[in-house]
Amino acid sequence: MTPEKGWAGLVFLRSLSSGAVDIFIIISGFFLCKSESRPIGKPASLLAQVIYRNLMVYGIMIMLGIEIFNLHDCAAKFVPSSYYPILFCTLFIISPWLNLVYRQKQSLQVFIISLIIIFSVWPTLVDLSEELIGLDWFGLSTVGARGAQAGFNIVNFILMYYVGGFLRLGELPQIFKKRGTLILLICFVTIIIFVWAMMVLKYPRREMISAWVYHNPFVLLLSVCLFLFFKDIHFKSLIVNNVAKVTYLCFLIHSGIIAQIDIGIKQACERGLGYLMIHYCLFSISMLVLSGGALLVYNVLIEPLFDKLNRIEIPYRLE
């Protein structure tokens, strides 16, 4: 990737949205940290939506003539192979046990700081050094022998979960309590991530660059600031509520389409920032509309199958 014409704009948008996954988990940690209720239907429905996405995208590929129907390939679509749903469901199931840590209120702040240093700062330094030096430090990461996997792991999900819980139960520094300061932090951190990304894009990497990895402390900070900024905004909007409901399925569908179909991202970047933004907005809106229709069908035909499962809760028997 070269930082020419629209590329720089695309890199900036990617930097601004680098905390998307972390924010989802932070929100979960914020709301689940005081709850022990975990209905079975919730993770089952999330995984079912992955299968639903697989079959939907596969059908689109066949209709466009990109794929030819094959029984073996069709059967494979019934496997919910997607990192985020699998890891989130895992986190959802084990989270009541994770919540036991919050009972140790006196050491909670030290615990969170320790987690950030061990599983955010150190792995990011390892990632950055690998890029700059051009070596793979096998066994140097605190997450796994082969590195931190760009944050695509249960360790990072647990870290973000605890950050979300701390934002609700812990004592935040004053700097995070002022909206004006949060705006400045969001702008400042986004610029840091953007500059970092532009600097390391020239270095070959087998996975996501260090600027955007989900465990990067600046990505974590951006996620926290964005969450806190919007947390105290209170309003009623039918549009926002509907978009929020479709976000998960939109994430699944759009990623499946981008992975299978050339939607012209390279050409849009080469034609300049203005054209890129038009392409970006039109594609985003089209994915929301497509996902909204898909969710409506899912809620009518499939979601009712999980209603009975939602009445069954996992018996944790915590004291």
Side-chain angles (χ1 to χ4, degrees):
M1 183 182 293
T2 57
E4 299 174 358
K5 298 183 179 180
W7 285 121
L10 194 62
V11 172
F12 179 80
L13 290 174
R14 179 64 182 84
S15 300
L16 180 62
S17 61
S18 58
V21 169
D22 287 352
I23 292 174
F24 274 116
I25 306 304
I26 287 173
I27 293 173
S28 300
F30 186 86
F31 288 103
L32 293 178
C33 66
K34 297 186 69 175
S35 169
E36 297 176 3
S37 174
R38 300 293 184 271
I40 297 177
K42 176 68 173 180
S45 178
L46 293 177
L47 295 179
Q49 289 181 61
V50 179
I51 299 173
Y52 178 66
R53 181 281 307 266
N54 291 346
L55 295 172
M56 177 181 172
V57 174
Y58 186 55
I60 292 175
M61 299 286 288
I62 293 174
M63 288 188 291
L64 293 177
I66 300 175
E67 293 274 359
I68 299 176
F69 178 80
N70 178 284
L71 188 59
H72 178 272
D73 293 339
C74 183
K77 303 304 178 183
F78 285 89
V79 178
S81 178
S82 182
Y83 91 94
Y84 179 84
I86 292 295
L87 292 181
F88 181 82
C89 289
T90 301
L91 179 67
F92 181 81
I93 292 171
I94 68 173
S95 56
W97 287 297
L98 299 179
N99 290 347
L100 295 176
V101 171
Y102 295 121
R103 298 180 183 180
Q104 309 299 321
K105 294 183 179 181
Q106 292 183 340
S107 61
L108 183 58
Q109 189 171 23
V110 176
F111 174 71
I112 295 297
I113 293 174
S114 300
L115 288 184
I116 292 174
I117 293 174
I118 296 172
F119 297 121
S120 174
V121 175
W122 179 259
T124 303
L125 291 175
V126 173
D127 292 337
L128 180 59
S129 66
E130 287 183 336
E131 287 173 336
L132 299 179
I133 299 175
L135 295 175
D136 291 335
W137 299 122
F138 181 83
L140 188 58
S141 174
T142 52
V143 177
R146 298 189 181 279
Q149 301 173 333
F152 292 68
N153 56 74
I154 192 61
V155 172
N156 188 65
F157 273 51
I158 291 175
L159 170 61
M160 292 303 118
Y161 181 87
Y162 275 129
V163 169
F166 181 78
L167 294 181
R168 181 173 183 176
L169 303 176
E171 182 60 33
L172 293 176
Q174 288 297 321
I175 191 174
F176 292 110
K177 297 181 180 180
K178 300 179 180 179
R179 297 183 63 80
T181 305
L182 286 173
I183 294 175
L184 291 176
L185 278 173
I186 291 169
C187 295
F188 179 67
V189 175
T190 301
I191 292 173
I192 290 179
I193 296 173
F194 170 71
V195 173
W196 185 338
M198 295 293 283
M199 291 177 61
V200 302
L201 276 173
K202 60 183 179 181
Y203 296 100
R205 180 110 179 116
R206 67 176 182 273
E207 53 188 24
M208 192 186 300
I209 62 173
S210 60
W212 296 333
V213 291
Y214 296 139
H215 54 269
N216 185 316
F218 287 105
V219 174
L220 193 163
L221 180 58
L222 176 62
S223 304
V224 168
C225 291
L226 285 170
F227 172 79
L228 291 175
F229 178 79
F230 287 101
K231 178 177 71 70
D232 294 325
I233 297 179
H234 304 288
F235 66 95
K236 294 182 179 180
S237 172
L238 186 62
I239 295 177
V240 172
N241 289 339
N242 287 330
V243 170
K245 293 177 182 178
V246 80
T247 299
Y248 172 70
L249 191 56
C250 184
F251 159 73
L252 295 175
I253 292 175
H254 103 276
S255 59
I257 288 178
I258 289 178
Q260 300 289 336
I261 303 174
D262 181 8
I263 62 170
I265 296 177
K266 182 178 180 180
Q267 295 84 343
C269 290
E270 292 174 346
R271 295 184 64 172
L273 183 59
Y275 186 87
L276 171 66
M277 293 306 301
I278 295 175
H279 183 281
Y280 177 86
C281 292
L282 289 178
F283 178 74
S284 300
I285 293 172
S286 64
M287 286 299 98
L288 281 173
V289 173
L290 175 63
S291 302
L295 182 62
L296 181 62
V297 174
Y298 179 87
N299 286 338
V300 172
L301 300 180
I302 304 175
E303 183 63 24
L305 300 177
F306 297 99
D307 287 344
K308 291 184 178 181
L309 287 179
N310 280 323
R311 301 170 190 169
I312 304 174
E313 295 189 358
I314 302 174
Y316 292 98
R317 301 181 182 181
L318 302 175
E319 294 183 0

